[in-house]
Amino acid sequence: MAKSSKQWLRRHVTDPYVQRAKAQGYRSRAAFKLLKLDSREHFLTPGATVIDLGAAPGSWSQVAAARVQPGGKVIAVDLLDIVPMSGVTVLKGDFRAVDLLAPLGGAKADVVLSDLSPNLSGIANVDQARAAEMSFAALDFCQKALKKDGVFVLKAFHGEAFEEVMQRLKHEFVSVSVRKPGASRGESRETYVVARKQRNIDPSRQPLKQGVST
């Protein structure tokens, strides 16, 4: 085993959030990122409808399903298989192609969660561009599937494209807050953005995303 792999495994095994996730029945340590975000921002409320993009292995959907009861609904989608879980409708496929609106029965979601990450190439500017494109795709999805007074929670990555992602978020939402929950490792470039209340966007206008290049 390579030295870097041994270091990762050692850190993973001793990670307190990994240990807590196992003890509390969560599928990954990422559950604690969402728990912290919601404890501060209070967007997962009883009766809410939630769509979880990039949901595998399912820890965010677990958290959401528990917090929107009674009466709530969670739809989880990913290219990867997700083991079924109570209170969650699981869909396999690309959220840009999968018909996620059908399970809503013509309604729209109160919350869209996006913990999406691109497949990393190790080339910084390429990975930044890929992450930004996924963010823009999730924003496009919100225009179709999120209520005007709904909440969008997005994982974003600091780097060359971060300001362009923030520019579009501020263009399309009234309130935009950047958060770094404790379970997000300090050395990681990831951060989370909580955006509220979509502005009235003219659908004929071109989205603000032309500046990203690969």
Side-chain angles (χ1 to χ4, degrees), residues 105-211:
K108 290 191 174 183
D110 298 287
V111 180
V112 171
L113 304 174
S114 176
D115 197 30
L116 294 161
S117 294
N119 292 323
L120 299 179
S121 68
I123 304 172
N125 63 333
V126 172
D127 292 338
Q128 275 288 313
R130 289 176 178 173
E133 286 300 320
M134 295 184 81
S135 296
F136 293 137
L139 274 160
D140 291 341
F141 179 79
C142 285
Q143 291 181 357
K144 298 182 295 183
L146 182 64
K147 292 178 180 178
K148 288 298 181 184
D149 61 348
V151 179
F152 178 42
V153 181
L154 171 71
K155 177 164 68 178
F157 295 88
H158 285 285
E160 293 179 5
F162 182 73
E163 287 306 318
E164 294 185 61
V165 173
M166 290 299 296
Q167 180 186 7
R168 184 166 168 191
L169 282 161
K170 291 176 180 178
H171 175 70
E172 297 186 12
F173 288 85
V174 173
S175 171
V176 177
S177 303
V178 178
R179 305 295 183 207
K180 181 79 169 178
S184 182
R185 293 188 174 101
E187 71 275 15
S188 173
R189 287 174 173 255
E190 72 177 18
T191 191
Y192 289 86
V193 185
V194 181
R196 299 176 183 271
K197 296 184 180 179
Q198 291 189 94
R199 301 182 191 273
N200 291 322
I201 304 297
D202 183 350
S204 67
R205 294 182 61 184
Q206 188 72 10
L208 299 177
K209 63 178 182 181
Q210 290 81 8

Side-chain angles (χ1 to χ4, degrees), residues 1-10:
M1 183 181 293
K3 182 178 179 181
S4 60
S5 298
K6 290 181 179 179
Q7 290 174 337
W8 180 90
L9 182 60
R10 186 181 303 111

Side-chain angles (χ1 to χ4, degrees), residues 24-160:
Q24 296 180 35
Y26 290 120
R27 297 185 179 187
S28 79
R29 68 189 303 283
F32 297 102
K33 300 175 187 179
L34 185 59
L35 286 166
K36 185 65 174 180
L37 287 167
D38 185 53
S39 294
R40 180 166 183 172
E41 299 286 344
H42 307 292
F43 47 82
L44 297 174
T45 57
T49 296
V50 179
I51 299 178
D52 184 7
L53 306 178
S59 60
W60 274 30
S61 291
Q62 285 180 293
V63 171
R67 294 207 166 187
V68 300
Q69 294 307 315
K73 178 188 296 185
V74 177
I75 300 170
V77 60
D78 204 295
L79 289 167
L80 303 175
D81 290 325
I82 302 174
V83 177
M85 65 193 92
S86 178
V88 179
T89 299
V90 175
L91 301 177
K92 183 178 180 179
D94 190 325
F95 74 92
R96 293 166 290 191
V98 169
D99 184 7
L100 295 180
L101 305 183
L104 294 177
K108 290 191 174 183
D110 298 287
V111 180
V112 171
L113 304 174
S114 176
D115 197 30
L116 294 161
S117 294
N119 292 323
L120 299 179
S121 68
I123 304 172
N125 63 333
V126 172
D127 292 338
Q128 275 288 313
R130 289 176 178 173
E133 286 300 320
M134 295 184 81
S135 296
F136 293 137
L139 274 160
D140 291 341
F141 179 79
C142 285
Q143 291 181 357
K144 298 182 295 183
L146 182 64
K147 292 178 180 178
K148 288 298 181 184
D149 61 348
V151 179
F152 178 42
V153 181
L154 171 71
K155 177 164 68 178
F157 295 88
H158 285 285
E160 293 179 5

